[in-house]
Amino acid sequence: MDQNKGKDGSLKDLWLGIGISLGIYLLGILILFMFASIFFAYLCIAIIGLILIPIISFAKKRNRLGQGALIGLGLNILLFTACFGILITNLGG
């Protein structure tokens, strides 16, 4: 039996970290379309949150949750840059 199984966490923690990060992204898209005036304030808070979630997870020895949060952070960066690239292209830039 693997003794490290209990310490590292399960794959549910990994998916939870990814889900939390993508939830932050989806909330940003919703805010962009519904309340565009507060989007940049949300963006600042989201960046801080996306950086703090992995730090806190690793500090509390929840390694899988931290790994999932880092994967989600990477996905957020890719999705946000793609969306802003489409917006800039449509504006004639």
Side-chain angles (χ1 to χ4, degrees), residues 5-66:
K5 185 177 179 185
K7 291 183 180 179
D8 286 340
S10 65
L11 288 178
K12 289 180 185 179
D13 286 341
L14 181 77
W15 286 107
L16 180 65
I18 294 171
I20 290 170
S21 298
L22 290 181
I24 291 172
Y25 172 76
L26 292 175
L27 181 66
I29 295 298
L30 181 69
I31 288 175
L32 179 63
F33 289 127
M34 301 298 284
F35 310 105
S37 61
I38 64 168
F39 178 71
F40 289 107
Y42 158 78
L43 194 60
C44 294
I45 294 169
I47 289 170
I48 293 168
L50 286 171
I51 293 171
L52 284 180
I53 290 171
I55 292 171
I56 293 170
S57 298
F58 284 123
K60 291 190 175 210
K61 304 293 184 202
R62 296 198 58 189
N63 294 335
R64 295 280 181 174
L65 183 64

